[in-house]
Structures are given as C-alpha cells and as structure tokens.
Amino acid sequence: MSSRTPARVGATGGRTTQHTTPHLEMTMTETPYTDADLRAEAARQHATLAEDPDFMGVGEQMGDAWVPSVETTEDGSARTWKDLLVTPDETGDDEDYTAFGEAQQKIHDLITGAADVSEWAVNLGADGLEPLPEQLSAQTDNGPWFRLHFAVRPDMPDDMRRALVEGVGSEIAKHL
C-alpha cells in the first residue's frame, strides 16, 4: 500500500509529492502504477498534443468559430473568423483568404510558443479544481514580471473566490 511523504519543492520550483511503497505490497486488485504515474503520462501526452499542432487543423477549427470581440448577436454583428476575414477576390469569382491565413499563422505561432503547463492542467483537473478568470500580474517596461493564475473547487463561494484573489494581490502589493 502506498504512503505519502510530505510535499516538497521540486527542481522545477513546482510543488510535488513523493509516493513511497514500503515492501512493495500489492494484491490482485492493486495496480503496478501510481496516481502520479497516470498524471505524468497524461501531462506528457497533453504537451505532445500542443507541441506541433497541425497548421491546416488550426484553420479548419477557426473557420466556423466566433471571434470573441464581435461575438454579440444582439445587433447581428456576430462574425466567425471566416465571415470576418475572407473576402471576395478582385474578380468576384473566388474568395481571398489572405487575411484569414495571416490570422491562422498568428494563432498557430501562439499555440507553438505557449508555455507548457500540461502538468498543471492535468493536476488541476485531477484534483477537481477549475481555473478562475481573474489573474494577478506585475508589469515592467519589458512586459510582465510575473503572473499568478488561480484555480479553486467549483463549490467555493464567489465571495471567497474574490477574497482569495484580492487578499493575495494586497499582500504582493505591499512588497512591490
């Protein structure tokens, strides 16, 4: 049966836990792998999916997706990426995908340049936490100095969520 040792800070700076198995006791109903093994493999596969996204697949997914900044349908102005960026060509016989292709390339570059947070994402989901839209960021002349993202249990009351973010922000502000 596995036992847990106290949490420690790993070489990557992340909080990790160690699982030890005294005397490697296993019965027929136990598995030869740990929860940590499952999470590590899920994180590896998650990272692989984002490592080299299919360029054409990015465009296919964009086509019918709503552009968030013009998503409102109340006034009829909602547009998909294709609606927004694909125009008739000069002859009127075909469509010009130049602007769409430029946006597709920028999105592809954002995906391939994204930080690998696969382990975090897998662990948040496995622990039943959901990310909050709020984040804290300290800015410098050269961009963000740091950014904190929050994840909480779904049943955490809104006022407690707000207090968490505001409290952490207030404490950090004292030292900047």
Side-chain angles (χ1 to χ4, degrees), residues 68-86:
S69 64
V70 293
E71 191 173 354
T72 180
T73 56
E74 294 168 6
D75 63 0
S77 66
R79 299 286 183 269
T80 65
W81 287 97
K82 185 175 178 182
D83 293 339
L84 190 66
L85 299 173
V86 177

Side-chain angles (χ1 to χ4, degrees), residues 134-150:
E134 296 83 8
Q135 53 186 283
L136 297 175
S137 185
Q139 300 296 321
T140 69
D141 292 340
N142 299 326
W145 189 28
F146 68 82
R147 182 171 299 134
L148 298 176
H149 295 262
F150 296 88

Side-chain angles (χ1 to χ4, degrees), residues 79-151:
R79 299 286 183 269
T80 65
W81 287 97
K82 185 175 178 182
D83 293 339
L84 190 66
L85 299 173
V86 177
T87 58
D89 70 0
E90 296 171 359
T91 66
D93 294 336
D94 206 356
E95 295 177 320
D96 182 356
Y97 277 80
T98 304
F100 184 90
E102 290 170 358
Q104 178 182 2
Q105 183 63 56
K106 289 177 182 178
I107 291 168
H108 184 268
D109 291 348
L110 286 169
I111 294 168
T112 57
D116 180 6
V117 294
S118 300
E119 184 178 356
W120 291 356
V122 167
N123 286 328
L124 292 177
D127 292 338
L129 300 175
E130 62 183 22
L132 295 179
E134 296 83 8
Q135 53 186 283
L136 297 175
S137 185
Q139 300 296 321
T140 69
D141 292 340
N142 299 326
W145 189 28
F146 68 82
R147 182 171 299 134
L148 298 176
H149 295 262
F150 296 88

